[in-house]
Amino acid sequence: MFDFRSDTVTQPTAAMRAAMANAEVGDDVYGDDPTVNDLQAYAADLAGFEAALFTASGTQANLLALMSHCGRGDEYICGQEAHNYKYEAGGAAVLGSIQPQPLTNQADGTILLSDIEAAIKPKDIHFAQSRLISLENTIGGKVLPMEYLAQAQQLAFDKKLKLHLDGARIFNACSELNVPLHSIAQHFDSFTICLSKGLGAPVGSLLLGDEAFIERARRLRKLVGGAMRQAGVLAAAGKLALTEQTARLADDHANAAYLAQGLAQLNQVELGYQATNMVFARFNHADLAGLNQQLLEAGVKVSMAANMRLVLHKDIDRSGVDALLEVLRRHD
């Protein structure tokens, strides 16, 4: 089955399964799981950061970041389409009493710096206090330009705010820009990496920051029930995600471009855009349910809707794209 619903559906590699089965473990709550410690140290060194924390999910990593940067009644500024605002169950507000200030994302995924500056609250008892700017890279598959990151960093510094990055797909951005991780990470006070999307690990994300920040996040991880024991079983796969899977993300981007080219030739499909490993399109077929059944019979799974996101990843090769296009051509 070629599953285009998301890059979260990736299966762990054979090497990951073997590493998990043979992982050396300890109790991570005590800090003595050697495989977790190795993953955290490796990621921090790769990014040029002081420390990293292994977490159960990207949602948890973002929550810990927001709660570590902001106190009750504080505010973070983010995009209207930001995952940590729109798709994480309101966790910052519910669990951290942190107010989001969402702003319009531009067509390229950025937030106008003038909008951010205008949204920063004055020192006044009537307002929540702005503490943090949160960006996302990639967002909707789109890569934030390096010049923009530098400008956002300067704005945050000038306004005495912290800058966080939801970097769930940061290695897709690295691949597209052809830059190492630290080139993007250097602009931020904290950022996340998701290991279980295109990188193929079964579970886990990393949160990175300075040592004091990560210690706050470690305590908060315990508070929200995220402290794990022999977590090295999972961290072993996460290490291989970072060492063996990042270079091949360019293949996903190429397959996404190939898919977009095929969709553009169809009469009943309106191509929206393709960016990194994602393709967005409108399907104008009269019988979407019937089309979905035909795709399933051909071994293709999508999140069927008129407006659809199709995501490429390590478990979809060129033949998977061809299988999807063949069904669509028959119904065009």
Side-chain angles (χ1 to χ4, degrees), residues 233 258 320:
V233 172
Y258 176 71

Side-chain angles (χ1 to χ4, degrees), residues 6-11 16 168-169 171-172 194-201 241 245-246 248-249 252 277 311-315:
S6 177
D7 45 10
T8 62
V9 303
T10 51
Q11 297 287 307
M16 288 178 181
R169 295 180 175 89
F171 281 104
N172 291 90
C194 184
L195 303 169
S196 64
K197 291 188 172 70
L199 301 185
Q245 294 298 311
T246 60
R248 54 149 307 280
L249 292 174
D252 299 337
N277 66 322
V311 185
L312 281 294
H313 51 77
K314 76 174 190 63
D315 296 335

Side-chain angles (χ1 to χ4, degrees), residues 11 35 42 56 79 82 132 154 166 168 172 190-191 210 221 233 237 252 281 289 292 295 297-298 303 323:
Q11 297 287 307
T35 307
Y42 179 82
L132 178 70
Q154 186 63 55
D166 179 350
N172 291 90
S190 63
F191 77 101
D210 63 33
R221 187 184 66 172
V233 172
D252 299 337
N292 190 54
L295 288 168
E297 291 174 3
S303 294

Side-chain angles (χ1 to χ4, degrees), residues 19-61:
M20 292 170 71
N22 296 293
E24 184 181 0
V25 298
D27 191 320
D28 185 48
V29 175
Y30 287 110
D32 62 9
D33 187 303
T35 307
V36 172
N37 292 341
D38 176 62
L39 170 63
Q40 293 172 162
Y42 179 82
D45 183 65
L46 192 66
F49 270 49
E50 288 183 358
L53 183 67
F54 184 51
T55 70
S57 67
T59 295
Q60 185 178 87

Side-chain angles (χ1 to χ4, degrees), residues 137-138 141-144 146 169-180 184 246-247 249-254 256-257 274-278:
N137 197 15
T138 64
K142 298 172 182 177
V143 177
L144 301 185
M146 295 293 286
R169 295 180 175 89
I170 192 170
F171 281 104
N172 291 90
C174 291
S175 178
E176 192 74 5
L177 295 170
N178 194 28
V179 298
I184 294 176
T246 60
L249 292 174
D251 297 338
D252 299 337
H253 300 181
Q274 176 262 324
T276 57
N277 66 322
M278 297 186 185

Side-chain angles (χ1 to χ4, degrees), residues 7-331:
D7 45 10
T8 62
V9 303
T10 51
Q11 297 287 307
T13 65
M16 288 178 181
R17 294 175 187 271
M20 292 170 71
N22 296 293
E24 184 181 0
V25 298
D27 191 320
D28 185 48
V29 175
Y30 287 110
D32 62 9
D33 187 303
T35 307
V36 172
N37 292 341
D38 176 62
L39 170 63
Q40 293 172 162
Y42 179 82
D45 183 65
L46 192 66
F49 270 49
E50 288 183 358
L53 183 67
F54 184 51
T55 70
S57 67
T59 295
Q60 185 178 87
N62 274 328
L63 175 64
L64 299 181
L66 296 176
M67 291 176 67
S68 296
H69 284 302
C70 302
R72 292 170 61 86
D74 287 341
E75 172 185 272
Y76 74 103
I77 298 169
C78 62
Q80 189 78 36
E81 300 303 316
H83 199 279
N84 61 22
Y85 165 67
K86 192 173 182 179
Y87 299 108
E88 296 183 2
V94 174
L95 300 175
S97 297
I98 303 165
Q99 173 174 288
Q101 173 60 75
L103 303 174
T104 300
N105 288 100
Q106 301 302 302
D108 64 354
T110 64
I111 310 167
L112 291 179
L113 298 179
S114 57
D115 286 352
I116 294 175
E117 186 167 5
I120 298 171
K121 304 302 184 289
K123 299 296 184 182
D124 186 297
I125 62 172
H126 295 89
F127 301 112
Q129 291 299 288
S130 304
R131 301 292 185 193
L132 178 70
I133 302 168
S134 179
L135 302 177
E136 187 172 336
N137 197 15
T138 64
I139 180 165
K142 298 172 182 177
V143 177
L144 301 185
M146 295 293 286
E147 182 181 6
Y148 175 80
L149 300 185
Q151 293 168 344
Q153 181 184 34
Q154 186 63 55
L155 174 61
F157 180 81
D158 291 343
K159 298 300 180 180
K160 296 181 172 56
L161 303 181
K162 296 297 186 180
L163 187 61
H164 172 68
L165 178 68
D166 179 350
R169 295 180 175 89
I170 192 170
F171 281 104
N172 291 90
C174 291
S175 178
E176 192 74 5
L177 295 170
N178 194 28
V179 298
L181 177 63
H182 63 78
S183 293
I184 294 176
Q186 66 178 332
H187 298 290
F188 295 89
D189 296 289
S190 63
F191 77 101
T192 64
I193 300 169
C194 184
L195 303 169
S196 64
K197 291 188 172 70
L199 301 185
V203 175
S205 286
L206 289 158
L207 175 62
L208 293 95
D210 63 33
E211 290 182 353
F213 171 83
I214 291 300
E215 279 308 303
R216 291 196 299 275
R218 188 183 306 278
R219 174 176 174 80
L220 289 166
R221 187 184 66 172
K222 178 68 174 178
L223 184 150
V224 299
M228 296 180 282
R229 298 297 181 178
Q230 285 71 40
V233 172
L234 302 174
K239 177 70 175 293
L240 290 179
L242 294 179
T243 58
E244 296 187 353
Q245 294 298 311
T246 60
R248 54 149 307 280
L249 292 174
D251 297 338
D252 299 337
H253 300 181
N255 287 334
Y258 176 71
L259 172 58
Q261 292 167 5
L263 294 177
Q265 298 171 11
L266 301 174
N267 296 314
Q268 294 199 65
V269 176
E270 298 174 46
L271 179 65
Y273 71 89
Q274 176 262 324
T276 57
N277 66 322
M278 297 186 185
V279 180
F280 292 80
R282 179 169 180 81
F283 285 66
N284 296 315
H285 301 76
D287 182 10
L288 290 176
L291 177 61
N292 190 54
Q293 184 59 40
Q294 291 291 311
L295 288 168
L296 289 171
E297 291 174 3
V300 174
K301 185 177 289 188
V302 300
S303 294
M304 181 57 68
N307 293 303
M308 201 183 310
R309 182 188 76 166
L310 301 162
V311 185
L312 281 294
H313 51 77
K314 76 174 190 63
D315 296 335
I316 299 178
D317 57 15
R318 192 62 60 91
S319 68
V321 178
D322 287 334
L324 169 60
L325 291 172
E326 178 57 32
V327 174
L328 295 177
R329 291 181 184 123
R330 291 203 307 266
H331 290 77

